Amino acid sequence: MKKSAKIISFALAMALVFGMTLNVSQSPVAKAAETVSGGDVSGGDVTTPEDPSEAEEMYNVLAEIGADTIDGARLSITALPLSDEVYAAGKNAAMNAPVTDLKYESVVCAASVTVSDVTEQQLSQGVFVTFFLPSAKESESYAMFYQNSNGGWKQLAAAVPAEGYVSAVFTYLPADLPVLVVKMTSATTQEAEVSQMYNAVESITAVAADGTPLTVTSSELSIEKYTEAKNTVSNAFANEQSRTILAAMDVEVAGVTSEQLAQGIRVTLQIPSVKAGNRYVVLHLPDGKEPTVPENWEHLTATVTQDGYMTVTFTSFSPIVVVELSDTDSGETGSGSSDTGNSGAEAAAVSTITTAVSPKTGEMLPIAGIMAVIFLAGALFCARKLKR
């Protein structure tokens, strides 16, 4: 009798331990966090690195990765983050790729890829490498850029075979191959967007600090500057719930003196979508600064004087981009419970989960869940034996 009781106690204890692990790894909150950040949610302490680099952020969006031969055989594949230097080189190559009907828009994912069991014959026929990116849509266009043996970068056409998947065929797959997944945009679509952002401003006026009216001229941004501005907005305001570009243009003020610039030129923009009470920031690229360096874009505070009008003070001119921001901490969810039904502990788990040290791979097995079922079955078996 005592022996049976001990067996039951042991089995129930083990079932409880593994059942708790199963609950953490399979809860909707934990699974969502794993998909977003690639974090290890199977238990244990998870630390949050401070200020992850853009290369790390582009790795974090990768939920899963797979590799298949032309005849459908699954290959073993792993992915790790790129170094900042390699990522910067790949991004620069993508931005300056030869112009076709599709042009660079933004990097959406980056990783160092290793396919460990691929043969020369399989490579010669081509290997499908597929990135699982939840945001990818079938209506969008993508390309993949990889670093060749000479240190240069080559472009591959990529497809979205299904929502959330971006795939390309590789015939070159050494260990630790740097790969960037890049979203592409039709050149005509980009030109139309740039024109739309320019025409969003209905009027623009400027006065010096002493009230002297000044003559303002404006023009459309180049596609290159506009693309970099969009990338800067995406990266600089990553913690915002939304970040919407309302307008973008090149601005020049004629006849302004260095003394007037030093004191600040107040510019008023008429943009119908601007509303009092909302939060706006104006990005400005000083003359002579490289647009591909995010830190070169100044963040200027915009003041909404009334619906449809905002003022910004400049000490130099050239490209400006008006951005509307919305905080993630908007008070829609409480600290103990929320509309989503998540407990405070689960919410805390989501906020602290980040990239795991281990690489992302093509397959994941629910080991904790399997073990929990085994030990629960053992507990039930022992209980039946005890009744007899």
Side-chain angles (χ1 to χ4, degrees), residues 162-384:
E163 295 286 304
Y165 294 87
V166 181
S167 183
V169 180
F170 286 74
T171 56
Y172 176 74
L173 279 171
D176 301 319
L177 177 67
V179 178
L180 274 66
V181 182
V182 177
K183 188 175 180 180
M184 309 294 283
T185 301
S186 164
T188 55
T189 301
Q190 283 189 321
E191 291 167 358
E193 185 176 349
V194 168
S195 294
Q196 179 185 354
M197 292 298 103
Y198 172 68
N199 292 323
V201 179
E202 294 192 352
S203 69
I204 180 170
T205 58
V207 295
D210 60 4
T212 303
L214 300 170
T215 301
V216 184
T217 59
S218 62
S219 59
E220 291 185 9
L221 285 182
S222 67
I223 290 179
E224 291 72 22
K225 285 182 180 178
Y226 180 70
T227 299
E228 277 310 311
K230 289 177 66 176
N231 289 336
T232 300
V233 168
S234 178
N235 295 323
F237 305 113
N239 293 327
E240 303 291 339
Q241 185 175 23
S242 66
R243 43 201 185 274
T244 305
I245 296 179
L246 300 183
M249 61 173 55
D250 264 318
V251 175
E252 297 293 342
V253 176
V256 64
T257 66
S258 57
E259 290 78 13
Q260 288 173 323
L261 278 176
Q263 294 175 355
I265 305 299
R266 191 170 70 254
V267 174
T268 299
L269 303 169
Q270 182 186 1
I271 305 174
S273 59
V274 166
K275 301 297 180 185
N278 291 354
R279 188 159 59 96
Y280 301 92
V281 171
V282 174
L283 296 184
H284 167 244
L285 183 68
D287 192 31
K289 294 287 187 178
E290 175 57 47
T292 58
V293 180
E295 293 77 13
N296 285 345
W297 291 82
E298 298 177 343
H299 296 199
L300 304 178
T301 301
T303 301
V304 179
T305 54
Q306 59 178 305
D307 284 356
Y309 292 86
M310 67 165 57
T311 62
V312 188
T313 299
F314 293 88
T315 55
S316 65
F317 288 96
S318 212
I320 65 169
V321 179
V322 179
V323 184
E324 182 176 20
L325 301 176
S326 175
D327 296 328
T328 52
D329 184 14
S330 58
E332 293 177 355
T333 57
S335 58
S337 62
S338 68
D339 294 339
T340 61
N342 300 332
S343 69
E346 285 179 317
V350 172
S351 67
T352 57
I353 291 171
T354 55
T355 306
V357 175
S358 58
K360 294 183 175 75
T361 61
E363 296 179 334
M364 294 171 285
L365 297 176
I367 301 299
I370 294 171
M371 294 302 294
V373 173
I374 291 172
F375 279 104
L376 282 171
L380 292 173
F381 175 78
C382 291
R384 289 175 181 170

Side-chain angles (χ1 to χ4, degrees), residues 36-54:
V36 172
S37 66
D40 182 358
V41 293
S42 61
D45 296 331
V46 181
T47 58
T48 304
E50 294 183 1
D51 300 326
S53 66
E54 185 177 344

Side-chain angles (χ1 to χ4, degrees), residues 35-224:
T35 300
V36 172
S37 66
D40 182 358
V41 293
S42 61
D45 296 331
V46 181
T47 58
T48 304
E50 294 183 1
D51 300 326
S53 66
E54 185 177 344
E56 291 172 326
E57 291 175 350
M58 290 299 101
Y59 172 74
N60 290 347
V61 300
L62 175 60
E64 193 175 351
I65 189 167
D68 301 89
T69 62
I70 293 296
D71 57 8
R74 176 57 55 89
L75 301 174
S76 176
I77 186 170
T78 59
L80 289 167
L82 291 179
S83 69
D84 293 342
E85 294 76 16
V86 172
Y87 173 78
K91 180 179 178 180
N92 184 63
M95 289 174 55
N96 295 291
V99 176
T100 60
D101 58 331
L102 294 177
K103 300 186 68 174
Y104 168 89
E105 180 175 308
S106 62
V107 177
V108 296
C109 186
S112 175
V113 173
T114 298
V115 179
S116 57
D117 56 357
V118 63
T119 66
E120 290 295 330
Q121 182 179 359
Q122 290 169 331
L123 268 180
S124 65
Q125 295 174 340
V127 173
F128 287 100
V129 174
T130 302
F131 287 71
F132 176 39
L133 305 171
S135 63
K137 301 292 186 295
E138 291 186 74
S139 59
E140 298 170 337
S141 299
Y142 291 88
M144 290 194 194
F145 288 78
Y146 70 89
Q147 192 172 38
N148 60 27
S149 58
N150 297 323
W153 292 80
K154 297 199 68 174
Q155 178 179 348
L156 293 176
V160 182
E163 295 286 304
Y165 294 87
V166 181
S167 183
V169 180
F170 286 74
T171 56
Y172 176 74
L173 279 171
D176 301 319
L177 177 67
V179 178
L180 274 66
V181 182
V182 177
K183 188 175 180 180
M184 309 294 283
T185 301
S186 164
T188 55
T189 301
Q190 283 189 321
E191 291 167 358
E193 185 176 349
V194 168
S195 294
Q196 179 185 354
M197 292 298 103
Y198 172 68
N199 292 323
V201 179
E202 294 192 352
S203 69
I204 180 170
T205 58
V207 295
D210 60 4
T212 303
L214 300 170
T215 301
V216 184
T217 59
S218 62
S219 59
E220 291 185 9
L221 285 182
S222 67
I223 290 179
E224 291 72 22

